[in-house]
mmCIF file of all heavy atoms in Angstrom:
data_model
loop_
_atom_site.group_PDB
_atom_site.id
_atom_site.type_symbol
_atom_site.label_atom_id
_atom_site.label_comp_id
_atom_site.label_asym_id
_atom_site.label_seq_id
_atom_site.Cartn_x
_atom_site.Cartn_y
_atom_site.Cartn_z
ATOM 1 N N THR W 1242 73.660 160.340 134.379
ATOM 2 C CA THR W 1242 72.616 160.298 133.365
ATOM 3 C C THR W 1242 71.882 161.639 133.271
ATOM 4 O O THR W 1242 71.575 162.226 134.278
ATOM 5 C CB THR W 1242 71.563 159.204 133.747
ATOM 6 O OG1 THR W 1242 72.244 157.969 133.855
ATOM 7 C CG2 THR W 1242 70.488 159.094 132.674
ATOM 8 N N ILE W 1244 68.562 163.585 131.293
ATOM 9 C CA ILE W 1244 67.331 163.461 130.474
ATOM 10 C C ILE W 1244 67.011 164.863 130.010
ATOM 11 O O ILE W 1244 66.856 165.769 130.796
ATOM 12 C CB ILE W 1244 66.184 162.881 131.312
ATOM 13 C CG1 ILE W 1244 66.593 161.491 131.832
ATOM 14 C CG2 ILE W 1244 64.927 162.822 130.486
ATOM 15 C CD1 ILE W 1244 66.035 161.163 133.176
ATOM 16 N N PRO W 1250 58.124 175.208 124.244
ATOM 17 C CA PRO W 1250 57.017 174.957 125.132
ATOM 18 C C PRO W 1250 55.746 175.770 124.823
ATOM 19 O O PRO W 1250 54.709 175.498 125.425
ATOM 20 C CB PRO W 1250 57.559 175.354 126.510
ATOM 21 C CG PRO W 1250 58.661 176.331 126.203
ATOM 22 C CD PRO W 1250 59.273 175.887 124.865
ATOM 23 N N SER W 1253 52.408 174.456 120.729
ATOM 24 C CA SER W 1253 51.577 173.252 120.732
ATOM 25 C C SER W 1253 52.394 171.991 120.992
ATOM 26 O O SER W 1253 53.144 171.926 121.938
ATOM 27 C CB SER W 1253 50.795 173.149 119.412
ATOM 28 O OG SER W 1253 50.025 174.317 119.219
ATOM 29 N N TRP W 1259 59.191 168.824 126.666
ATOM 30 C CA TRP W 1259 59.225 169.591 127.931
ATOM 31 C C TRP W 1259 58.260 168.946 128.950
ATOM 32 O O TRP W 1259 58.628 168.788 130.121
ATOM 33 C CB TRP W 1259 58.799 171.046 127.694
ATOM 34 C CG TRP W 1259 59.892 171.902 127.208
ATOM 35 C CD1 TRP W 1259 60.613 171.689 126.060
ATOM 36 C CD2 TRP W 1259 60.375 173.104 127.799
ATOM 37 N NE1 TRP W 1259 61.530 172.735 125.938
ATOM 38 C CE2 TRP W 1259 61.405 173.589 126.959
ATOM 39 C CE3 TRP W 1259 60.059 173.837 128.949
ATOM 40 C CZ2 TRP W 1259 62.100 174.766 127.249
ATOM 41 C CZ3 TRP W 1259 60.716 175.001 129.253
ATOM 42 C CH2 TRP W 1259 61.764 175.435 128.400
ATOM 43 N N ALA W 1262 59.646 165.751 130.311
ATOM 44 C CA ALA W 1262 60.790 165.964 131.195
ATOM 45 C C ALA W 1262 60.313 166.518 132.533
ATOM 46 O O ALA W 1262 60.778 166.107 133.592
ATOM 47 C CB ALA W 1262 61.778 166.936 130.547
ATOM 48 N N GLU W 1264 57.419 165.971 133.940
ATOM 49 C CA GLU W 1264 56.796 164.859 134.649
ATOM 50 C C GLU W 1264 57.876 163.988 135.285
ATOM 51 O O GLU W 1264 57.772 163.587 136.443
ATOM 52 C CB GLU W 1264 55.948 163.986 133.676
ATOM 53 C CG GLU W 1264 54.636 164.602 133.332
ATOM 54 C CD GLU W 1264 53.729 164.852 134.535
ATOM 55 O OE1 GLU W 1264 53.610 163.903 135.348
ATOM 56 O OE2 GLU W 1264 53.219 165.970 134.667
ATOM 57 N N ALA W 1266 60.847 164.823 136.132
ATOM 58 C CA ALA W 1266 61.563 165.540 137.204
ATOM 59 C C ALA W 1266 60.822 165.361 138.523
ATOM 60 O O ALA W 1266 61.443 165.275 139.592
ATOM 61 C CB ALA W 1266 61.718 167.007 136.820
ATOM 62 N N ASP W 1271 66.220 163.909 142.929
ATOM 63 C CA ASP W 1271 67.610 164.253 142.709
ATOM 64 C C ASP W 1271 68.508 163.149 142.092
ATOM 65 O O ASP W 1271 69.689 163.345 141.930
ATOM 66 C CB ASP W 1271 68.264 164.716 144.060
ATOM 67 C CG ASP W 1271 67.790 166.113 144.415
ATOM 68 O OD1 ASP W 1271 67.210 166.765 143.494
ATOM 69 O OD2 ASP W 1271 67.932 166.482 145.555
ATOM 70 N N ASP W 1287 76.941 170.833 124.198
ATOM 71 C CA ASP W 1287 77.333 171.353 125.493
ATOM 72 C C ASP W 1287 76.612 170.656 126.627
ATOM 73 O O ASP W 1287 77.167 170.392 127.688
ATOM 74 C CB ASP W 1287 77.001 172.880 125.608
ATOM 75 C CG ASP W 1287 77.874 173.703 124.678
ATOM 76 O OD1 ASP W 1287 78.931 173.199 124.233
ATOM 77 O OD2 ASP W 1287 77.483 174.858 124.391
ATOM 78 N N GLY W 1291 80.139 165.142 129.112
ATOM 79 C CA GLY W 1291 80.433 164.783 130.499
ATOM 80 C C GLY W 1291 79.517 163.712 131.074
ATOM 81 O O GLY W 1291 79.816 163.149 132.085
ATOM 82 N N GLN W 1302 57.861 164.682 113.304
ATOM 83 C CA GLN W 1302 56.801 164.517 112.330
ATOM 84 C C GLN W 1302 57.309 163.647 111.181
ATOM 85 O O GLN W 1302 58.360 163.946 110.627
ATOM 86 C CB GLN W 1302 56.321 165.874 111.809
ATOM 87 C CG GLN W 1302 55.472 166.635 112.857
ATOM 88 C CD GLN W 1302 54.776 167.828 112.279
ATOM 89 O OE1 GLN W 1302 55.375 168.645 111.610
ATOM 90 N NE2 GLN W 1302 53.509 167.956 112.557
ATOM 91 N N LYS W 1304 56.405 161.045 107.718
ATOM 92 C CA LYS W 1304 55.445 160.816 106.616
ATOM 93 C C LYS W 1304 54.481 159.744 107.073
ATOM 94 O O LYS W 1304 54.932 158.693 107.574
ATOM 95 C CB LYS W 1304 56.214 160.338 105.387
ATOM 96 C CG LYS W 1304 55.989 161.203 104.200
ATOM 97 C CD LYS W 1304 56.760 160.649 103.021
ATOM 98 C CE LYS W 1304 57.118 161.811 102.103
ATOM 99 N NZ LYS W 1304 58.045 161.432 101.045
ATOM 100 N N GLY W 1306 52.849 159.380 109.648
ATOM 101 C CA GLY W 1306 52.867 159.095 111.086
ATOM 102 C C GLY W 1306 51.503 159.418 111.689
ATOM 103 O O GLY W 1306 50.749 160.239 111.193
ATOM 104 N N GLU W 1317 72.198 155.904 115.718
ATOM 105 C CA GLU W 1317 72.418 155.088 114.480
ATOM 106 C C GLU W 1317 71.188 155.147 113.564
ATOM 107 O O GLU W 1317 71.319 155.112 112.335
ATOM 108 C CB GLU W 1317 72.686 153.585 114.845
ATOM 109 C CG GLU W 1317 74.046 153.352 115.475
ATOM 110 C CD GLU W 1317 74.162 153.879 116.889
ATOM 111 O OE1 GLU W 1317 73.196 153.696 117.646
ATOM 112 O OE2 GLU W 1317 75.194 154.506 117.221
ATOM 113 N N LEU W 1325 75.557 168.377 107.322
ATOM 114 C CA LEU W 1325 75.686 169.499 108.208
ATOM 115 C C LEU W 1325 75.065 170.783 107.725
ATOM 116 O O LEU W 1325 74.816 171.676 108.474
ATOM 117 C CB LEU W 1325 77.164 169.713 108.498
ATOM 118 C CG LEU W 1325 77.726 168.436 109.050
ATOM 119 C CD1 LEU W 1325 79.203 168.572 109.247
ATOM 120 C CD2 LEU W 1325 77.049 168.016 110.304
ATOM 121 N N ALA W 1336 76.585 166.683 115.131
ATOM 122 C CA ALA W 1336 77.157 167.218 116.369
ATOM 123 C C ALA W 1336 77.914 166.143 117.125
ATOM 124 O O ALA W 1336 79.056 166.355 117.609
ATOM 125 C CB ALA W 1336 76.063 167.829 117.241
ATOM 126 N N LEU W 1339 81.097 165.266 115.267
ATOM 127 C CA LEU W 1339 82.072 166.331 115.451
ATOM 128 C C LEU W 1339 82.709 166.264 116.843
ATOM 129 O O LEU W 1339 83.939 166.350 117.001
ATOM 130 C CB LEU W 1339 81.430 167.670 115.255
ATOM 131 C CG LEU W 1339 82.342 168.910 115.379
ATOM 132 C CD1 LEU W 1339 83.358 168.934 114.244
ATOM 133 C CD2 LEU W 1339 81.544 170.215 115.372
ATOM 134 N N THR W 1342 85.102 163.447 116.875
ATOM 135 C CA THR W 1342 86.321 163.795 116.107
ATOM 136 C C THR W 1342 87.269 164.688 116.949
ATOM 137 O O THR W 1342 88.467 164.571 116.890
ATOM 138 C CB THR W 1342 85.954 164.550 114.803
ATOM 139 O OG1 THR W 1342 84.955 163.797 114.156
ATOM 140 C CG2 THR W 1342 87.156 164.745 113.909
ATOM 141 N N TYR W 1354 63.635 159.425 122.544
ATOM 142 C CA TYR W 1354 62.226 159.137 122.475
ATOM 143 C C TYR W 1354 61.565 160.247 121.635
ATOM 144 O O TYR W 1354 61.671 161.418 121.998
ATOM 145 C CB TYR W 1354 61.585 159.080 123.842
ATOM 146 C CG TYR W 1354 61.719 157.695 124.473
ATOM 147 C CD1 TYR W 1354 62.835 157.347 125.260
ATOM 148 C CD2 TYR W 1354 60.736 156.708 124.235
ATOM 149 C CE1 TYR W 1354 62.958 156.093 125.792
ATOM 150 C CE2 TYR W 1354 60.852 155.473 124.789
ATOM 151 C CZ TYR W 1354 61.992 155.133 125.557
ATOM 152 O OH TYR W 1354 62.092 153.870 126.073
ATOM 153 N N ALA W 1355 60.934 159.849 120.526
ATOM 154 C CA ALA W 1355 60.307 160.863 119.677
ATOM 155 C C ALA W 1355 58.806 160.610 119.642
ATOM 156 O O ALA W 1355 58.382 159.465 119.521
ATOM 157 C CB ALA W 1355 60.890 160.768 118.270
ATOM 158 N N GLU W 1374 48.014 162.140 125.400
ATOM 159 C CA GLU W 1374 47.759 160.773 125.833
ATOM 160 C C GLU W 1374 49.059 159.953 125.814
ATOM 161 O O GLU W 1374 49.174 158.987 126.543
ATOM 162 C CB GLU W 1374 46.659 160.201 124.898
ATOM 163 C CG GLU W 1374 46.019 158.919 125.313
ATOM 164 C CD GLU W 1374 46.653 157.745 124.543
ATOM 165 O OE1 GLU W 1374 46.990 157.952 123.349
ATOM 166 O OE2 GLU W 1374 46.814 156.671 125.127
ATOM 167 N N ARG W 1378 52.810 157.291 128.835
ATOM 168 C CA ARG W 1378 53.441 156.069 128.261
ATOM 169 C C ARG W 1378 54.938 156.264 128.111
ATOM 170 O O ARG W 1378 55.728 155.391 128.389
ATOM 171 C CB ARG W 1378 52.769 155.712 126.938
ATOM 172 C CG ARG W 1378 51.340 155.159 127.111
ATOM 173 C CD ARG W 1378 50.810 154.574 125.837
ATOM 174 N NE ARG W 1378 50.424 155.625 124.873
ATOM 175 C CZ ARG W 1378 50.702 155.577 123.572
ATOM 176 N NH1 ARG W 1378 51.295 154.550 123.043
ATOM 177 N NH2 ARG W 1378 50.268 156.566 122.787
ATOM 178 N N LYS W 1388 65.656 152.040 135.406
ATOM 179 C CA LYS W 1388 65.796 150.999 136.468
ATOM 180 C C LYS W 1388 66.825 149.961 136.068
ATOM 181 O O LYS W 1388 67.425 149.301 136.921
ATOM 182 C CB LYS W 1388 64.454 150.285 136.698
ATOM 183 C CG LYS W 1388 63.554 151.063 137.673
ATOM 184 C CD LYS W 1388 62.318 150.205 137.975
ATOM 185 C CE LYS W 1388 61.105 151.114 138.168
ATOM 186 N NZ LYS W 1388 59.858 150.448 137.714
#
Side-chain angles (χ1 to χ4, degrees):
Chain W
T1242 303
I1244 300 146
S1253 303
W1259 277 57
E1264 284 300 312
D1271 285 345
D1287 292 342
Q1302 286 192 311
K1304 237 181 209 170
E1317 288 72 42
L1325 305 177
L1339 181 66
T1342 310
Y1354 274 89
E1374 192 260 324
R1378 288 189 286 138
K1388 277 187 214 148

